[in-house]
Structure formats: structure tokens, C-alpha cells
Amino acid sequence: MPVAASAIYFLNLRGDVLINRLYRDDVGGNMVDAFRMHIMQTKELGTCPVRQIGGCSFFYMRISNVYIVIVVSSNANVACAFKFVVEAVALFKSYFGGAFDEDAIRNNFVLIYELLDEIMDFGYPQNLSPEILKLYITQEGVRSPFSSKQPLDKPVPNATLQVTGAVGWRREGLVFLDIVESVNLLMSSKGSVLRCDVTGKILMKCFLSGMPDLKLGLNDKIGLEKESQLKNRPTKSGKTIELDDVTFHQCVNLTRFNSEKTVSFVPPDGEFELMKYRITEGVNLPFRVLPTIKELGRTRMEVNVKVKSVFGAKMFALGVVIKIPVPKQTAKTSFQVTSGRAKYNASIDCLVWKIRKFPGQTEPTLSAEIELISTIAEKKSWTRPPIQMEFQVPMFTASGLRVRFLKVWEKSGYNTVEWVRYITKAGSYEVRC
């Protein structure tokens, strides 16, 4: 349940009422006397910010030299009440130039009453966004001489849309695209690829009002060839990809996709998954791992691992983790790494090599000497599980997928801003030892 406040009071440290506003008639005007007598005069202000006196509850908070008291006569959401107080103070500060104290309240009586009428209706909180309220409450507050001299926030255009809509915290016309890919790889110890594919998805977050029709253009081979046929133009040079399996959100117009090979859709509100795809040909591997493991007798082993980043030198990978398996009878290990940190994890029988930031076109190496426990029983052959990798490479796609354009239907009059982000992660990225 929301706050459903019956009244709100602004008191100074002596208990004098600076401003008050009654929203309901279920409490009397003398409720502030009960607060002053039972709480302020008994010096119990610092014990608990919620007190119940008679049939009413008092929620109070001290800001500078002012007490803000909310009075409710029924069961209410206390967290919501204090959240309202915090945001209301932030709103007042934006009008008063950063100051909120007794002097600021006395100098801005009229403005505060006007704001109190807008931010709460019949005891229920309303819009407390300074950017929205400043669109139609344009009066500037009287600033303290000690407050900052920064100008008021610039108003946001299209006041009616943002006041009545649910997107008052941003400008309209924003579209965010995330292309997230997972690389699945099985590579031999000599560097040859045994199995490789990329699964990806396009995540979209739209802030568009109405029912706009969007068109997304990718660098897929079939789509580019169809577009060239429709426009009677030669196919543009550049890298193209072939999408093997594609699954679309229900908002995509499949008829237009089958005929024109373009992704046309009316997006739903908020964040959604526009499409999923899989690619098996022409995969750009972000890393190549070259391991060398030598078993020296029954009690010693040497491990050398070189990891080469294949992506561009200006890019980098984050959170790189290489797990190098070792036998279960490992007793002691020693390491030398050219980048990052390494340690032996006995619970998973692996050498764990972590590199927080892995630049492109580099080749860090790990060298390790491993001592094994000597046993009398006949030694079983070690199966050598594969090396596993975890990573995340921003602004890189292993498939080569690129967004060529994102258009809104021309007659809609939208001025959109598109943000596209590419992320490649490790799925099952394994290299045999």
C-alpha cells in the first residue's frame, strides 16, 4: 500500500511549525501538538523514526535544522514514506540551489506549497522528478547566498508526454541494442579446430512512444543480396555472414522477412530479445591456446601454456580465466606467469590462471612445475581433461555480425538515437592437452 499520508509538517528544532499541508480530514489540526509533547519534549527523537500515538503513526526525519513529519491514520508503507521524504528534499534542493534548511523554507513559502500540491495527491505520492516538475512549475526559488551558483537544470522538451507517461527520467527516441555472443570451441593441442560454433542473441531496449515500425539491417549475406535486387544495385563489398538458425520475437513481421529479408517489427515496451541465431562458418576465434604438457617420470610434470589474443590491439578482454587440469595426486606446484596470477585449486584439480584485463595481439605464457605423490600401486594413465577458458570481449563479435542500420518508419517523424554494444563471451571454450 502507498503512503496515504494524512498530513505533512515541517518543524524547526524548537517545534515551531514552518509549513504544513493537510491531505485528508481523518486527523485533527492539533496532531503536531501530540508530536511536540510526546516526542520532542521527551527527547526521544533519536531512538526510533516511527512512533505511534493514539490512533496515528508519526514518521519523522531530520534534515539540517528541520524536522519533516508525516502523519498517517492507517497502516502504511514506512519505507515508501521515507523514500518520499528523501526525494522531496532533493526536489526542494534543486529549486533552492542546493540548500534546504529553515531559512530556505521561510524564503520559499509560496513555491513549497505549490510543490506540495503537485507531489502528493490525497496522501498518495505523485511525480517527484525535478526535470519534469520544472517544465510547468517554472518559478525559481530564493537562493541562499551560500548555495551554489549553478543554473537550474535545462528543461526537457515535450512536457505533456513526459508528465503523463512513464518515461519522465529520460528523453524519448532512445534505442539500445546489445549483441551478445557465446563461442563454443573444441580445439586440439596442436591448434586445429575440431568443433566450433557461435550462438548469439540481439537484446533491445526501446523508449519509443506510439506504435513505430522499425527496420533493422544486418550484414547477413542473404539480406544484402535481396536488398541489392530490390534496389537494382550491385552488392556492396565488405564482410558478410551466413546465419544458420534464426529465431525471432513474435513482434517481427515474418512475411516481410521472407519476401525482403529485412527484420521489420513494432517493438514492445522495455527490454526484450529480438532474435537468436547460430553461426558455424567463418568464426573469428578471440583466443588461441597452445599447451605443452610433459610427464617426467612418475613424480614430476612440466606445464607450458601460451594464450594468444587474436582480436585487435585496441581491444581487450575482461575476466579471463584459464583452467588447466592436473592429476589428482598433485602434491606441490610452482608457477611463472608473464601476466595475471595463477594458483593451484585442489578442489577442482586445476591450475587456475586469471588475467583481469587481456589486451589484444598479446601472448602471455604460464610455466609450471608439478610434483606428484608417489604411490606403490600401479599408476593409472591420466586422461588429460581439456583446458577450459572463461572471458568476455567487449565490442567484438566472433561471428562478424554488424548492425548496418536501425531505421524508424520515415513518416513517423522520429529523431532516434541508437546505441549498439557488442559482447563476446565464452560458452564451452575447450582445448585438448
Side-chain angles (χ1 to χ4, degrees):
M1 163 177 189
V3 174
S6 299
I8 184 170
Y9 293 91
F10 294 79
L11 310 177
N12 61 15
L13 299 182
R14 297 186 302 273
D16 301 329
V17 179
L18 303 175
I19 283 183
N20 71 294
R21 180 72 170 84
L22 298 177
Y23 293 103
R24 294 166 174 259
D25 56 2
D26 53 356
V27 297
N30 60 347
M31 293 305 300
V32 67
D33 297 331
F35 176 80
R36 189 185 299 115
M37 181 181 303
H38 293 87
I39 300 178
M40 294 192 71
Q41 293 182 1
T42 56
K43 297 182 180 181
E44 295 184 1
L45 284 170
T47 57
C48 180
V50 180
R51 292 293 302 275
Q52 189 169 9
I53 302 174
C56 295
S57 299
F58 293 83
F59 311 146
Y60 57 91
M61 180 183 295
R62 177 177 174 176
I63 308 294
S64 185
N65 56 355
V66 176
Y67 285 105
I68 302 177
V69 184
I70 293 180
V71 184
V72 297
S73 60
S74 58
N75 189 20
N77 190 326
V78 180
C80 183
F82 287 120
K83 178 68 173 176
F84 171 81
V85 172
V86 171
E87 293 194 6
V89 171
L91 173 65
F92 296 147
K93 287 182 177 180
S94 68
Y95 273 94
F96 305 158
F100 181 80
D101 50 23
E102 182 177 352
D103 293 334
I105 293 177
R106 293 185 182 278
N107 293 332
N108 296 276
F109 274 115
V110 177
L111 177 59
I112 293 177
Y113 274 119
E114 189 174 359
L115 290 172
L116 289 176
D117 288 337
E118 293 292 339
I119 63 179
M120 185 169 281
D121 183 18
F122 197 60
Y124 294 97
Q126 305 298 313
N127 197 334
L128 286 97
S129 172
E131 292 80 8
I132 301 304
L133 291 171
K134 287 178 182 178
L135 295 176
Y136 53 94
I137 301 180
T138 57
Q139 177 184 348
E140 294 188 9
V142 178
R143 295 169 174 250
S144 168
F146 303 102
S147 64
S148 61
K149 300 297 182 181
Q150 297 178 356
L152 292 176
D153 297 336
K154 294 182 179 179
V156 182
N158 201 349
T160 305
L161 172 66
Q162 299 198 34
V163 171
T164 58
V167 291
W169 52 89
R170 59 149 188 90
R171 291 179 173 85
E172 64 169 334
L174 296 177
V175 180
F176 298 91
L177 278 174
D178 280 348
I179 288 85
V180 182
E181 293 187 345
S182 297
V183 186
N184 303 306
L185 170 74
L186 179 60
M187 182 182 292
S188 70
S189 59
K190 297 182 179 180
S192 58
V193 177
L194 304 178
R195 186 189 72 246
C196 183
D197 69 88
V198 174
T199 57
K201 55 186 177 181
I202 299 180
L203 305 176
M204 178 172 284
K205 182 182 292 186
C206 292
F207 298 100
L208 302 173
S209 59
M211 302 289 286
D213 191 0
L214 275 66
K215 183 187 293 185
L216 177 67
L218 305 173
N219 62 333
D220 61 299
K221 184 178 180 180
I222 298 177
L224 288 173
E225 291 177 352
K226 190 66 176 180
E227 182 180 347
S228 301
Q229 293 175 4
L230 294 175
K231 295 184 178 180
N232 293 323
R233 297 176 183 175
T235 304
K236 294 183 179 179
S237 61
K239 182 177 180 180
T240 59
I241 62 172
E242 295 187 15
L243 302 176
D244 293 334
D245 302 316
V246 182
T247 304
F248 291 109
H249 188 272
Q250 62 182 3
C251 68
V252 176
N253 189 332
L254 296 180
T255 303
R256 185 177 296 181
F257 178 78
N258 292 330
S259 60
E260 303 177 11
K261 297 303 177 183
T262 58
V263 183
S264 178
F265 58 99
V266 177
D269 294 332
E271 186 174 356
F272 66 101
E273 185 179 279
L274 177 64
M275 62 178 285
K276 294 188 294 185
Y277 58 91
R278 189 172 69 92
I279 293 176
T280 57
E281 300 292 337
V283 177
N284 302 318
L285 296 179
F287 294 98
R288 286 192 174 272
V289 182
L290 300 174
T292 303
I293 298 179
K294 296 180 181 179
E295 298 185 37
L296 306 176
R298 300 181 60 182
T299 59
R300 287 187 61 227
M301 179 182 294
E302 288 184 357
V303 176
N304 293 284
V305 178
K306 179 190 293 185
V307 181
K308 180 179 180 180
S309 54
V310 188
F311 47 87
K314 294 184 179 180
M315 293 188 290
F316 54 86
L318 299 174
V320 178
V321 180
I322 303 104
K323 297 179 180 179
I324 306 163
V326 295
K328 290 186 177 181
Q329 62 268 26
T330 298
K332 184 179 179 182
T333 59
S334 59
F335 308 96
Q336 285 185 351
V337 293
T338 59
S339 179
R341 295 181 178 180
K343 67 176 182 179
Y344 168 60
N345 191 333
S347 61
I348 58 176
D349 298 320
C350 284
L351 307 179
V352 181
W353 182 16
K354 295 183 179 181
I355 303 175
R356 189 168 59 92
K357 187 174 182 179
F358 200 129
Q361 299 298 316
T362 57
E363 298 183 10
T365 58
L366 175 143
S367 300
E369 293 185 359
I370 301 172
E371 296 183 8
L372 306 177
I373 300 175
S374 178
T375 58
I376 300 176
E378 183 180 355
K379 180 183 177 182
K380 295 182 180 180
S381 59
W382 183 40
T383 57
R384 292 197 178 188
I387 297 174
Q388 298 178 341
M389 280 195 70
E390 300 173 8
F391 56 81
Q392 179 173 313
V393 187
M395 302 313 294
F396 173 82
T397 55
S399 65
L401 182 71
R402 286 290 181 270
V403 175
R404 296 191 296 117
F405 62 83
L406 179 63
K407 297 179 180 178
V408 183
W409 185 48
E410 290 79 2
K411 295 183 180 180
S412 62
Y414 266 104
N415 294 319
T416 59
V417 179
E418 298 88 18
W419 296 83
V420 183
R421 180 174 59 174
Y422 302 93
I423 301 174
T424 295
K425 300 179 180 180
S428 175
Y429 208 91
E430 298 180 345
V431 179
R432 290 180 176 175
C433 300

